[in-house]
Amino acid sequence: MRPVLLSLLCCLAGAAHAATAETAAAPHKAYLSLIIDDLGQSLPRDRRVLALPGPVATAVMPDTPHAAEFAREAHRAGKTVMLHMPMDPATGPFAWHPDLPQEELEKRLNAAFRAVPYTSGLNNHMGSRMTAEPQAMAWLMADLQGRHKFFVDSRTSARTAAAAQAQKTGLASVSRDVFLDDERTEAAIFTQLQTAISLARKQGSAVMIGHPYPQTLAVLERELPKLKAQGIDWIDIKLMISVRGNQATVAHGKNGRYHEVR
């Protein structure tokens, strides 16, 4: 019996070693999400965004001529619709500024949501000054919680308090990792896309924000269909929030907590 038992134990040990090796060799998941900002200004241009082959999120500005019509088209196309909320230094009738009283902030937010139907969430347009206001951001996150909306911090400033306040509130939220098109050339946009892919492989996920520039759309139309073959899972921004579980990445915080403005 002993030789048989020894042989059996050896087989089990070998199988366990093989399973461990296989698990260790298995690639980590790499998730990517894409938001296109500044939509609602031109229907022919913005419809190219709807034609992109995947779960692109559409961030619609409330003070654009086609905001409501495009939001309806995006909703019919099965795309996630977001309110792209103007914040200081942005200007206009909806824009939030630090010197505005809370009543006016609420009035402008309500009007912005009425201007853009079918919204699931909100991200900031500009906002380097406004998102650094912890009290206003805390109020916004509580308000979004009541509306059952999520929040994406575009991180237009290193001093943003928005993500930290969303996390404190327990609001479903996530932060941007890579801007695709600060430089509007196809070569630079392609490089930024590769940066996002590398980041997704390194930290498990990356959130990209781009704009409906011709150069950006040309790169995305060409490169997005290749993501699956590269081992990248392109997912909707709402699923990305679930994947990250409201936790900050190393670039945005420590031990899953977002850095707070001091």
Side-chain angles (χ1 to χ4, degrees):
M1 291 293 292
R2 285 185 178 179
V4 174
L5 180 59
L6 182 59
S7 176
L8 179 59
L9 289 173
C10 288
C11 288
L12 290 173
H17 177 76
T20 302
E22 184 178 348
T23 301
H28 294 291
K29 282 288 187 180
Y31 296 104
L32 211 58
S33 288
L34 171 65
I35 300 168
I36 299 296
D37 281 352
D38 295 0
L39 298 170
Q41 299 180 54
S42 166
L43 286 177
R45 180 199 69 174
D46 296 351
R47 283 170 179 152
R48 285 182 69 183
V49 176
L50 299 185
L52 290 174
V56 58
T58 57
V60 184
M61 297 179 68
D63 52 351
T64 52
H66 306 288
E69 184 177 359
F70 178 77
R72 292 189 187 98
E73 287 192 20
H75 175 71
R76 286 196 297 268
K79 306 297 186 184
T80 294
V81 179
M82 299 170 55
L83 171 61
H84 194 37
M85 186 66 187
M87 295 186 186
D88 192 299
T91 59
F94 300 98
W96 274 26
H97 298 274
D99 57 344
L100 292 175
Q102 182 178 310
E103 293 76 13
E104 181 63 21
L105 296 179
E106 184 174 12
K107 178 182 176 182
R108 293 185 179 202
L109 185 63
N110 288 336
F113 272 118
R114 286 195 297 270
V116 183
Y118 298 109
T119 54
S120 298
L122 175 152
N123 73 330
N124 54 293
H125 170 60
M126 299 188 179
S128 55
R129 285 187 60 203
M130 194 69 219
T131 58
E133 297 287 326
Q135 186 173 352
M137 291 299 102
W139 181 88
L140 174 61
M141 302 314 156
D143 183 87
L144 293 177
Q145 188 81 284
R147 296 176 191 263
H148 306 291
K149 310 288 188 185
F150 64 80
F151 175 75
V152 176
D153 190 348
S154 299
R155 297 192 69 86
T156 54
S157 167
R159 291 186 56 77
T160 178
Q165 293 300 327
Q167 193 174 54
K168 281 185 176 180
T169 304
L171 179 70
S173 64
V174 74
S175 288
R176 184 272 312 165
D177 295 291
V178 175
F179 276 124
L180 290 175
D181 45 22
D182 285 340
E183 184 180 336
R184 298 189 201 180
T185 67
E186 289 193 27
I189 293 162
F190 176 78
T191 297
Q192 286 298 93
L193 177 59
Q194 297 309 305
T195 297
I197 290 171
S198 297
L199 189 60
R201 288 179 174 143
K202 179 181 178 181
Q203 68 182 20
S205 64
V207 175
M208 307 181 296
I209 290 181
H211 301 81
Y213 307 139
Q215 301 92 330
T216 305
L217 294 174
V219 171
L220 293 176
E221 287 164 350
R222 183 176 68 244
E223 299 300 327
L224 289 178
K226 303 176 184 178
L227 290 178
K228 187 174 182 180
Q230 298 176 59
I232 303 297
D233 286 336
W234 182 18
I235 61 174
D236 182 73
I237 191 66
K238 290 180 282 189
L239 183 54
M240 177 64 79
I241 291 172
S242 177
V243 165
R244 286 199 176 172
N246 278 13
Q247 298 298 295
T249 61
V250 174
H252 301 154
K254 186 177 181 181
N255 298 324
R257 305 301 298 177
Y258 283 98
H259 295 306
E260 295 192 48
V261 176
R262 300 296 182 188

